[in-house]
Amino acid sequence: MGNCFFSQNKSTNVRVSLPAVCFVWEMAMVVLFGIFVRYNYEADAHWEDYRKSHNISSDIENDFYYRYPSFQDVHVMIFVGFGFLMTFLKRYSFGGVGFSFLIAAFGLQWALLMQGWFHSLDPATGQIKIGIENLINADFCCAGSLIAYGALLGKVSPVQMMVVTLFGVTLYSVEEYIILNLLHCRDAGGSMVIHTFGGYYGLAISWILYRPHLKRSGHLNGSVYHSDVFAMIGTLFLWMFWPSFNSAIANHGDGQLRAAINTYVSLAACVVTAVGVSSLTKKGGKLDMVHVQNATLAGGVAMGAAAEFMISPYGALIVGFFCGIISTLGFAYVTPFLEKRLKLQDTCGVHNLHAVPGMLGGFVAAITAAFASEAVYSKTGLDNTFGFQGSYAGRSTGTQGAYQAAGTCVAIAFGIVGGAAVGLILKLPIWGDPADDYCFDDEAYWEVPEDEEGIPPVLEYNNHMAHKQQEMGESTFNIEQS
Amino acid sequence: MGNCFFSQNKSTNVRVSLPAVCFVWEMAMVVLFGIFVRYNYEADAHWEDYRKSHNISSDIENDFYYRYPSFQDVHVMIFVGFGFLMTFLKRYSFGGVGFSFLIAAFGLQWALLMQGWFHSLDPATGQIKIGIENLINADFCCAGSLIAYGALLGKVSPVQMMVVTLFGVTLYSVEEYIILNLLHCRDAGGSMVIHTFGGYYGLAISWILYRPHLKRSGHLNGSVYHSDVFAMIGTLFLWMFWPSFNSAIANHGDGQLRAAINTYVSLAACVVTAVGVSSLTKKGGKLDMVHVQNATLAGGVAMGAAAEFMISPYGALIVGFFCGIISTLGFAYVTPFLEKRLKLQDTCGVHNLHAVPGMLGGFVAAITAAFASEAVYSKTGLDNTFGFQGSYAGRSTGTQGAYQAAGTCVAIAFGIVGGAAVGLILKLPIWGDPADDYCFDDEAYWEVPEDEEGIPPVLEYNNHMAHKQQEMGESTFNIEQS
Amino acid sequence: MGNCFFSQNKSTNVRVSLPAVCFVWEMAMVVLFGIFVRYNYEADAHWEDYRKSHNISSDIENDFYYRYPSFQDVHVMIFVGFGFLMTFLKRYSFGGVGFSFLIAAFGLQWALLMQGWFHSLDPATGQIKIGIENLINADFCCAGSLIAYGALLGKVSPVQMMVVTLFGVTLYSVEEYIILNLLHCRDAGGSMVIHTFGGYYGLAISWILYRPHLKRSGHLNGSVYHSDVFAMIGTLFLWMFWPSFNSAIANHGDGQLRAAINTYVSLAACVVTAVGVSSLTKKGGKLDMVHVQNATLAGGVAMGAAAEFMISPYGALIVGFFCGIISTLGFAYVTPFLEKRLKLQDTCGVHNLHAVPGMLGGFVAAITAAFASEAVYSKTGLDNTFGFQGSYAGRSTGTQGAYQAAGTCVAIAFGIVGGAAVGLILKLPIWGDPADDYCFDDEAYWEVPEDEEGIPPVLEYNNHMAHKQQEMGESTFNIEQS
């Protein structure tokens, strides 16, 4: 019945708009790739000639072998990590994993172009030359829009998410260029450019799209036993591969290894404190799956910008220690407050997992950079780690610290302003988003298997029966579903 | 009840045949490995002496470091990718993931032998010398039989699948030898040797084993909400690691990187167009999970043969663009047609995901090869990419294109003829396959937990009640299901 | 109801103890890391200077590139592998995956310290210098405690598991030092130090904590259909990545590759024989998911110690062949026997998957070592493989074999004695462990979603209806379940 309802309900009928968006944008990709995108020298068949003429001793020196394993780990985080983390809702698992898939698959193509124009343009030919690092950065860029989806989960249409992604990738590429190139900040793991931007971008959109009557679908805005276990798949793959996320584009050698170590220990500390606080916040000391699924990851977010720095293992441990506490308290107290007082609905609590820890990570990096010294890094190490080369040779660590802090503010500004603007666009009545009564329901956009709709049927049946009994005071049976 | 039924039902009792096959074949493996299989020079303790005597500068030049990360990704695709993709049926998830596990674990041993005899035989000793590349190829070889299993899912016994695998691996090794060695085709990602062969092999078997009364178990030939989410685990791991699949045995350096880039962009385009078409084919523009689970992967299948070539990123994008459309339309219209008109029952739609995209991939490679030029590849690059060395030095790209096309036809022929022959063997009444009424049901071959058998309880309850009503001649009873 | 019950039930209220343990121990970690833990030369910003001054030709020679891919595979095994393998219980999936997460995240920090003091102490500074290999070993160390958790699953509180982990990691580090350093055994994959120790450690604890009335929660000590599918995620990631587990810290070059090959073939054989025996032990030859989920992994456990040796592929195949049989028979007959006769309750059957195969692996390595010869290994190979260098130069292979056997006995002794001692500590009435009636139930320590508590709805429904019947005085109403 719900079934027929939705199919007749224009409001969620995307049979014209979704295919139109998919095909128009994909055709645009084909044309733009045709004009602009080519292989870089490491991916081109001329590589062997190049290698020999440049005295590169072996194929193993191809950047592919330095970065491909990390790339694949990042790839898993983007598609399985983010995708399954969003399957926790009892009736929106299809939308969680399915639309994440669509968002990221489209987003990475647009990201290859946008980031390519800023970073990989071959002045000679005016073409973008892509290699392994471009694939990693394209995945990173999609993360920003997936984070935004976390704030909007269950309340928007796939068409709206395509729009969020198109603008999200565009905004990301611009703020990334400002932060990394103009301000010359370091942000190997994207605390600023990915998490801070993505978090505030999603929150601003959600704030503009505030739904006063969202309570009407409140019975669907929660998990069931097995949907929580599915979400743990996402949590764990994000948690396990975060060291790869933060080290994927770090400097070869010690840079990548140090980033991996810092992230590994930070995340470990974060789990322990998140569990401790979760237990404190609940009657009987019971743990809340929402905290375990999300707050345990804050340590990775916050280690992003300083991942490459000589923050030392105990420094990373301290970052994880406090992020586990802050993030869990955020889920327990801030998210409800934001919804009640600030009319800000944040389905997955990206405020606590991305926005705040990302911002903290930006400032951690600023402080760590400001206190960096040749004694700790060595002259070579300092220049490599902070890129004090070329026009930045001789920049002081104090100056670098100031720029890192400024970069964090740029990310926040882009997120809030950009998100507000995109939110206004999404208010147009043409996107097929669901009415307040039909949020968090896969019925709106998916062919859901007839015989099981995620509601534990018998419970509902029982409620229904109890009701019937009183009504009819007899044993006449009339059973309905959904 | 079903429980007792099956345990008394001889037709699915494999208590003699399954253990017999497992032990006889495994003992044969031990004997044959004992006679034939040894470590190659990179895996042998003599490696360090070899390395120094051959002026190999470092351990990092051991092929292990070039290919092991890709091998592990391929390994995940074979066991989790194929395995979980086949958990989508509401009551056959054990069989989907469990029998895939058995098939691949046995198949890879037989593959190490069969492929070893063709490719890794040490003429001096008459022994097979295996290294990392043999492990990758053994996994590839199993993929052929797993694809065939997709067409037969739910309709065959584990014993039959062992037979399908024994012959599947054997046929694969022969056609692979003909295509790669005799015709000297390039097929890094196995569009021809894996997907085309495997797809038609499974379809031919299924066609021979046509079950006129399969409708009797039609109520089990579908998914439930959570089984569709499980299947997405398979889909995503296949999708994410496909760049590793197509680059795992590509040439060191630019070859591997180029194969990864081409596959990455092709798959991204495929997702977007598959979603677009899926929405077009349904009332209200709703998405079909079957399309998202399967058609999104066609771009990886079709990029297999041309993965290493200089097809350029937009070329790969175009391949993915069209495969997403063709595969989705296949699931929507061709599979039902095949079953109605051609008496061909294809449980997972391997026709649309493997057979057709694989064949297309073969021809894409033929065309790309035919138009390859030194201008684009450089002389060195051309010779490396197409292996124009030794007795093939000086083969023209046009000739190469013709051979690629011929190779595709060889794969189709081996699939259809071999599958028909194996199908006839499987018609013998000794394999313990289920009656038409008991297909798609784990009860046949698994100890299913008593208290939950995957049937949505309310359905069963309703059937039961409807039945009761007639018995009781009560008419006040009226059950509806959405 | 259960809900209120537990929250009032002091016995499982960990609101004080769990946060206390988490914060006290995590703060201790921060202090100890601050005093002791620093980056090693490969992770330090001085690396480039070091590299050049030591004529290391390239960044790719940083151990990061030799071991990081294997590290990430091991990381997945620890968190997703062990975690999801323990989700098989119908109502303890949260505890299975969630507490594994907590155990490993805390354990790896303590392991970095304990193992660091034994193996990575810089005599000059008295500090622990960590690199990529330390991360792998820390993960290995946690595996010991996770194995122990398998024997205790559902019967202990999270606070108890923190204690089990604290002592488990400590004991592990000591026995590892004795076995690897004092006895100079080889154990690349940890058959002895991880699996034998961890298995007996858990069994000894469980034996001390014997619960005479555990049957009271017997209805929860089993799986449901989808929880068995979740467990297969754990099984497959353990199975697929085991070659990385056994090769992660093996010698560069042939050592790592040989370990991967041996594990790969051993596991493949193990699956086939485990399935064969499983079918033999059941009525109608039906397969038991418990066997497929667990016994299929025994081949990896048993190949751990001899992974690097020239056991040859058929030798590895024979190991897997017999371990598949032994482990499956263990699950079918030994575990029930242990519970009935020896009052030893082993939830996950770690006796059959870890203790016994680990012990066998230890003796396989002893025999293989005893029969090693320069003819097979070459002088260089023999010295590299068994570390016959420095003070061990000239140790005979026979002697080495004897030491390997002795090492296995040390692991058993540490497991049994250490486990018994820890078990006595856990008997103190202060740990918040559940009463016999409330074992295997997430209600005790988790906020379980209200609307679905893992009880198969129809059972509940029947209770409800039976109840209704009496109320309504109708007797024609009688619902059965197959």
Side-chain angles (χ1 to χ4, degrees):
Chain A
M1 252 169 46
N3 222 326
C4 338
F5 177 88
F6 280 105
S7 55
Q8 290 152 14
N9 175 358
K10 283 283 145 263
S11 80
T12 62
N13 188 329
V14 291
R15 193 172 186 175
V16 175
S17 53
L18 183 54
V21 169
C22 288
F23 282 104
V24 170
W25 292 2
E26 195 54 48
M27 281 184 276
M29 291 300 117
V30 171
V31 173
L32 291 168
F33 270 60
I35 300 170
F36 289 104
V37 184
R38 299 294 182 269
Y39 306 112
N40 78 358
Y41 72 98
E42 293 184 306
D44 190 285
H46 291 77
W47 157 257
E48 190 172 341
D49 297 338
Y50 177 94
R51 180 170 75 72
K52 290 177 175 158
S53 62
H54 288 65
N55 299 316
I56 296 168
S57 62
S58 160
D59 277 328
I60 200 87
E61 294 289 338
N62 189 305
D63 203 32
F64 179 81
Y65 302 102
Y66 285 89
R67 306 206 182 277
Y68 189 73
S70 312
F71 158 68
Q72 274 295 6
D73 294 345
V74 170
H75 214 39
V76 171
M77 294 173 71
I78 297 300
F79 289 87
V80 159
F82 280 103
F84 271 85
L85 190 59
M86 296 199 244
T87 58
F88 74 98
L89 289 171
K90 67 181 70 154
R91 294 188 66 183
Y92 209 74
S93 301
F94 289 7
V97 67
F99 294 146
S100 305
F101 193 17
L102 176 64
I103 291 165
F106 165 70
L108 64 86
Q109 299 175 62
W110 181 227
L112 283 172
L113 287 160
M114 282 300 301
Q115 295 180 309
W117 283 316
F118 280 115
H119 302 288
S120 309
L121 208 57
D122 174 355
T125 61
Q127 290 176 322
I128 298 164
K129 298 295 180 77
I130 64 172
I132 186 65
E133 208 166 328
N134 299 74
L135 305 192
I136 297 169
N137 280 310
D139 273 17
F140 279 175
C141 189
C142 296
S145 300
L146 287 168
I147 291 165
Y149 183 41
L152 305 171
L153 187 69
K155 303 175 293 179
V156 291
S157 75
V159 183
Q160 286 179 306
M161 281 317 302
M162 293 291 274
V163 175
V164 168
T165 306
L166 182 73
F167 287 105
V169 168
T170 311
L171 289 160
Y172 177 102
S173 305
V174 176
E175 56 112 29
E176 182 191 43
Y177 178 74
I178 294 169
I179 294 169
L180 300 188
N181 296 54
L182 303 187
L183 303 180
H184 195 67
C185 297
R186 306 293 292 172
D187 193 10
S191 292
M192 303 182 253
V193 299
I194 299 169
H195 298 286
T196 305
F197 164 74
Y200 285 106
Y201 180 59
L203 291 169
I205 296 171
S206 188
W207 182 71
I208 298 288
L209 297 182
Y210 177 69
R211 292 168 169 272
H213 306 303
L214 192 59
K215 279 275 163 291
R216 289 181 188 167
S217 50
H219 63 293
L220 293 180
N221 187 2
S223 66
V224 290
Y225 194 73
H226 280 163
S227 69
D228 269 327
V229 182
F230 277 118
M232 281 303 292
I233 296 172
T235 299
L236 288 174
F237 276 102
L238 286 167
W239 193 92
M240 295 180 301
F241 287 160
W242 217 296
S244 299
F245 192 91
N246 288 351
S247 67
I249 57 169
N251 292 334
H252 288 174
D254 60 293
Q256 285 191 281
L257 177 50
R258 193 161 56 250
I261 292 173
N262 290 335
T263 311
Y264 175 85
V265 295
S266 173
L267 281 165
C270 187
V271 172
V272 177
T273 55
V275 167
V277 174
S278 181
S279 177
L280 268 178
T281 60
K282 296 286 176 179
K283 197 174 59 171
K286 294 186 181 192
L287 297 173
D288 185 332
M289 258 297 182
V290 172
H291 303 163
V292 175
Q293 286 160 2
N294 295 279
T296 52
L297 300 167
V301 172
M303 269 318 299
E308 281 181 290
F309 300 169
M310 292 286 289
I311 191 170
S312 83
Y314 70 87
L317 216 53
I318 291 167
V319 170
F321 186 99
F322 286 107
C323 285
I325 297 169
I326 292 163
S327 185
T328 310
L329 292 174
F331 280 98
Y333 303 113
V334 179
T335 299
F337 170 85
L338 290 178
E339 178 153 2
K340 279 200 204 62
R341 299 269 170 280
L342 302 194
K343 301 186 175 310
L344 176 47
Q345 293 151 334
D346 177 8
T347 311
C348 297
V350 300
H351 172 271
N352 317 303
L353 175 50
H354 298 283
V356 170
M359 188 175 58
L360 291 174
F363 294 123
V364 165
I367 294 159
T368 318
F371 288 97
S373 70
E374 285 194 14
V376 174
Y377 286 78
S378 85
K379 177 83 177 66
T380 330
L382 201 62
D383 295 348
N384 290 344
T385 305
F386 295 99
F388 293 155
Q389 286 125 344
S391 57
Y392 300 99
R395 177 190 270 193
S396 78
T397 54
T399 316
Q400 182 66 26
Y403 276 108
Q404 297 280 152
T408 310
C409 302
V410 171
I412 297 171
F414 261 81
I416 293 174
V417 177
V422 172
L424 291 172
I425 295 168
L426 297 184
K427 283 187 88 73
L428 298 175
I430 61 177
W431 304 117
D433 46 317
D436 292 354
D437 319 48
Y438 301 103
C439 288
F440 312 115
D441 191 344
D442 276 328
E443 283 282 339
Y445 305 110
W446 296 87
E447 293 278 337
V448 178
E450 291 283 315
D451 54 14
E452 184 193 77
E453 290 173 352
I455 308 176
V458 165
L459 284 185
E460 179 176 278
Y461 165 74
N462 287 349
N463 305 339
H464 174 84
M465 286 310 298
H467 179 65
K468 272 267 171 272
Q469 296 316 315
Q470 290 147 9
E471 225 179 41
M472 297 151 54
E474 44 143 311
S475 63
T476 312
F477 265 69
N478 170 28
I479 294 164
E480 289 160 13
Q481 284 270 136
S482 79
Chain B
M1 256 164 49
N3 221 327
C4 340
F5 178 88
F6 280 106
S7 53
Q8 289 152 17
N9 175 357
K10 282 284 146 263
S11 80
T12 62
N13 188 330
V14 291
R15 192 173 187 174
V16 173
S17 53
L18 183 55
V21 169
C22 288
F23 282 104
V24 171
W25 292 5
E26 194 54 48
M27 281 185 275
M29 291 300 119
V30 172
V31 173
L32 291 168
F33 270 60
I35 300 170
F36 290 105
V37 184
R38 299 293 182 270
Y39 306 111
N40 79 357
Y41 72 99
E42 293 183 306
D44 189 287
H46 289 77
W47 157 257
E48 189 173 340
D49 297 338
Y50 177 93
R51 181 170 74 74
K52 290 176 175 160
S53 62
H54 288 65
N55 298 318
I56 296 167
S57 63
S58 160
D59 277 327
I60 200 87
E61 293 289 339
N62 189 305
D63 203 32
F64 179 80
Y65 302 102
Y66 286 89
R67 306 206 183 274
Y68 189 73
S70 313
F71 157 67
Q72 275 294 7
D73 294 346
V74 171
H75 214 39
V76 171
M77 293 173 72
I78 297 300
F79 289 87
V80 159
F82 280 103
F84 271 85
L85 189 58
M86 296 199 244
T87 58
F88 74 97
L89 289 172
K90 68 181 69 155
R91 292 189 66 184
Y92 209 74
S93 301
F94 289 7
V97 67
F99 293 146
S100 304
F101 193 17
L102 176 63
I103 291 165
F106 166 69
L108 64 86
Q109 299 175 62
W110 182 227
L112 283 173
L113 287 161
M114 282 300 299
Q115 294 179 310
W117 283 316
F118 281 116
H119 303 287
S120 310
L121 208 57
D122 173 356
T125 63
Q127 291 175 321
I128 298 163
K129 298 296 179 77
I130 64 172
I132 185 65
E133 208 166 329
N134 300 74
L135 305 192
I136 297 169
N137 280 311
D139 273 18
F140 279 175
C141 190
C142 296
S145 300
L146 287 167
I147 291 164
Y149 183 41
L152 304 170
L153 187 68
K155 304 174 293 179
V156 291
S157 75
V159 184
Q160 286 178 307
M161 280 318 301
M162 293 291 274
V163 176
V164 168
T165 307
L166 182 72
F167 288 105
V169 168
T170 311
L171 289 160
Y172 177 102
S173 307
V174 176
E175 57 113 27
E176 182 191 42
Y177 179 74
I178 295 170
I179 294 169
L180 301 188
N181 296 54
L182 303 188
L183 303 180
H184 195 66
C185 298
R186 306 294 292 173
D187 192 12
S191 292
M192 304 181 252
V193 298
I194 299 170
H195 299 285
T196 306
F197 164 73
Y200 285 107
Y201 180 58
L203 291 168
I205 296 172
S206 188
W207 182 70
I208 297 287
L209 297 182
Y210 177 69
R211 291 168 171 272
H213 305 303
L214 193 58
K215 279 274 163 293
R216 288 180 188 168
S217 50
H219 63 291
L220 294 179
N221 187 2
S223 65
V224 290
Y225 194 73
H226 281 162
S227 68
D228 268 328
V229 182
F230 276 118
M232 282 302 292
I233 296 171
T235 299
L236 289 174
F237 276 101
L238 286 168
W239 193 91
M240 296 181 300
F241 287 160
W242 217 296
S244 298
F245 193 89
N246 288 352
S247 66
I249 57 169
N251 292 334
H252 288 173
D254 60 294
Q256 284 192 281
L257 177 51
R258 193 161 57 249
I261 293 172
N262 290 336
T263 311
Y264 175 85
V265 295
S266 173
L267 280 165
C270 186
V271 172
V272 177
T273 55
V275 166
V277 174
S278 180
S279 177
L280 267 179
T281 59
K282 296 287 175 178
K283 195 174 62 170
K286 295 186 181 192
L287 297 173
D288 185 331
M289 258 298 182
V290 172
H291 303 163
V292 174
Q293 285 161 2
N294 295 279
T296 52
L297 300 168
V301 172
M303 269 318 300
E308 282 181 290
F309 300 168
M310 293 285 288
I311 192 170
S312 81
Y314 70 86
L317 216 53
I318 291 166
V319 171
F321 186 99
F322 287 107
C323 285
I325 297 168
I326 292 164
S327 184
T328 311
L329 292 173
F331 280 98
Y333 304 112
V334 178
T335 299
F337 170 85
L338 290 178
E339 179 154 2
K340 281 201 202 61
R341 298 271 170 277
L342 301 194
K343 300 186 175 309
L344 177 46
Q345 293 151 334
D346 178 6
T347 311
C348 297
V350 300
H351 173 271
N352 317 303
L353 174 51
H354 297 284
V356 170
M359 188 174 57
L360 290 173
F363 294 124
V364 166
I367 294 158
T368 319
F371 287 97
S373 70
E374 285 194 13
V376 174
Y377 286 78
S378 85
K379 176 83 175 71
T380 330
L382 201 63
D383 295 349
N384 289 344
T385 305
F386 295 100
F388 293 156
Q389 285 124 344
S391 57
Y392 300 99
R395 177 191 270 194
S396 78
T397 55
T399 316
Q400 181 65 27
Y403 276 109
Q404 296 281 153
T408 310
C409 303
V410 171
I412 297 170
F414 262 80
I416 292 174
V417 177
V422 172
L424 292 171
I425 295 169
L426 296 185
K427 282 186 88 75
L428 297 174
I430 60 175
W431 305 115
D433 47 316
D436 292 355
D437 319 50
Y438 302 104
C439 288
F440 312 115
D441 191 343
D442 277 328
E443 282 284 340
Y445 305 110
W446 297 85
E447 293 277 337
V448 178
E450 290 284 315
D451 53 15
E452 184 193 76
E453 290 173 354
I455 309 178
V458 166
L459 277 189
E460 181 176 276
Y461 164 72
N462 288 347
N463 303 341
H464 173 86
M465 288 311 296
H467 179 65
K468 272 260 167 281
Q469 286 336 296
Q470 287 146 12
E471 256 179 17
M472 292 155 56
E474 248 182 51
S475 64
T476 50
F477 220 94
N478 168 26
I479 292 161
E480 290 160 12
Q481 286 263 147
S482 70
Chain C
M1 253 169 43
N3 221 325
C4 341
F5 178 88
F6 280 106
S7 54
Q8 288 151 17
N9 176 356
K10 283 283 145 263
S11 81
T12 62
N13 188 330
V14 290
R15 193 172 188 175
V16 174
S17 52
L18 183 55
V21 168
C22 288
F23 283 104
V24 171
W25 293 2
E26 194 54 48
M27 281 184 277
M29 291 301 118
V30 171
V31 173
L32 291 169
F33 270 60
I35 300 169
F36 288 104
V37 184
R38 299 293 181 272
Y39 306 112
N40 78 358
Y41 72 100
E42 293 183 306
D44 190 286
H46 290 77
W47 157 257
E48 189 172 340
D49 297 337
Y50 177 92
R51 180 170 74 74
K52 290 177 175 158
S53 62
H54 288 65
N55 299 317
I56 296 167
S57 62
S58 158
D59 277 327
I60 200 88
E61 293 290 340
N62 189 304
D63 202 31
F64 179 80
Y65 302 102
Y66 286 88
R67 305 207 183 276
Y68 189 73
S70 312
F71 158 68
Q72 275 295 6
D73 294 346
V74 171
H75 215 38
V76 171
M77 293 173 72
I78 297 299
F79 289 88
V80 160
F82 280 102
F84 271 86
L85 189 59
M86 295 199 244
T87 58
F88 74 98
L89 289 171
K90 67 181 71 155
R91 294 188 66 183
Y92 209 74
S93 300
F94 289 7
V97 67
F99 294 147
S100 305
F101 193 17
L102 176 63
I103 290 165
F106 165 70
L108 63 87
Q109 299 175 61
W110 182 227
L112 283 173
L113 287 161
M114 282 299 299
Q115 294 180 310
W117 283 315
F118 280 116
H119 303 288
S120 309
L121 208 57
D122 174 355
T125 62
Q127 291 175 321
I128 298 164
K129 299 295 180 75
I130 63 172
I132 185 64
E133 207 166 329
N134 298 75
L135 305 192
I136 297 169
N137 279 310
D139 272 17
F140 279 176
C141 189
C142 296
S145 300
L146 287 167
I147 290 164
Y149 183 41
L152 304 170
L153 187 69
K155 303 175 294 179
V156 291
S157 74
V159 184
Q160 286 179 307
M161 280 317 302
M162 293 292 275
V163 175
V164 168
T165 307
L166 182 73
F167 287 105
V169 168
T170 311
L171 289 161
Y172 177 101
S173 306
V174 176
E175 56 113 29
E176 181 191 43
Y177 179 74
I178 294 170
I179 293 169
L180 301 189
N181 296 54
L182 303 188
L183 302 181
H184 195 68
C185 298
R186 305 294 293 174
D187 193 11
S191 293
M192 302 181 253
V193 299
I194 299 170
H195 299 285
T196 305
F197 164 74
Y200 284 106
Y201 179 58
L203 290 169
I205 296 172
S206 188
W207 182 70
I208 298 287
L209 298 181
Y210 177 69
R211 291 168 170 273
H213 306 302
L214 192 58
K215 280 275 163 293
R216 289 180 188 168
S217 49
H219 63 294
L220 294 180
N221 187 3
S223 65
V224 291
Y225 194 73
H226 282 161
S227 69
D228 268 328
V229 182
F230 277 118
M232 282 302 292
I233 297 171
T235 299
L236 289 174
F237 276 101
L238 286 168
W239 193 92
M240 296 181 300
F241 287 160
W242 217 296
S244 298
F245 192 91
N246 288 352
S247 66
I249 57 169
N251 291 334
H252 287 173
D254 61 294
Q256 285 191 281
L257 177 50
R258 194 162 55 249
I261 292 172
N262 289 335
T263 311
Y264 175 84
V265 295
S266 173
L267 281 164
C270 187
V271 172
V272 177
T273 56
V275 166
V277 174
S278 180
S279 177
L280 267 178
T281 60
K282 297 285 176 179
K283 197 172 59 171
K286 295 185 180 192
L287 297 173
D288 185 332
M289 257 299 181
V290 172
H291 303 163
V292 174
Q293 286 161 3
N294 294 279
T296 51
L297 300 167
V301 172
M303 267 320 298
E308 283 181 290
F309 300 169
M310 293 285 289
I311 191 169
S312 83
Y314 70 88
L317 216 54
I318 291 167
V319 170
F321 186 99
F322 286 107
C323 284
I325 297 168
I326 292 163
S327 185
T328 310
L329 292 173
F331 280 98
Y333 304 111
V334 180
T335 299
F337 170 86
L338 290 178
E339 179 155 1
K340 280 203 202 62
R341 298 270 170 279
L342 301 194
K343 301 187 175 309
L344 177 46
Q345 293 151 333
D346 177 7
T347 311
C348 298
V350 300
H351 173 271
N352 317 304
L353 175 50
H354 297 284
V356 169
M359 189 175 56
L360 291 174
F363 293 124
V364 166
I367 294 160
T368 319
F371 287 96
S373 71
E374 285 194 14
V376 174
Y377 286 79
S378 85
K379 177 82 174 70
T380 329
L382 201 63
D383 295 349
N384 289 343
T385 306
F386 294 100
F388 292 157
Q389 286 125 343
S391 58
Y392 299 99
R395 179 191 268 193
S396 78
T397 54
T399 316
Q400 181 65 27
Y403 276 109
Q404 297 280 152
T408 311
C409 303
V410 171
I412 296 169
F414 261 80
I416 292 173
V417 176
V422 172
L424 291 171
I425 295 169
L426 296 184
K427 282 187 87 75
L428 297 175
I430 61 176
W431 304 116
D433 47 315
D436 292 354
D437 319 50
Y438 302 103
C439 289
F440 312 115
D441 191 343
D442 277 328
E443 283 283 341
Y445 305 109
W446 297 87
E447 292 277 337
V448 178
E450 289 285 314
D451 54 14
E452 183 195 76
E453 290 174 354
I455 310 175
V458 165
L459 288 183
E460 182 175 277
Y461 164 74
N462 287 349
N463 305 340
H464 170 85
M465 287 314 293
H467 180 66
K468 271 258 166 289
Q469 286 335 298
Q470 289 146 11
E471 257 180 14
M472 292 155 58
E474 244 183 56
S475 63
T476 51
F477 217 95
N478 168 27
I479 291 157
E480 291 156 10
Q481 288 255 151
S482 70

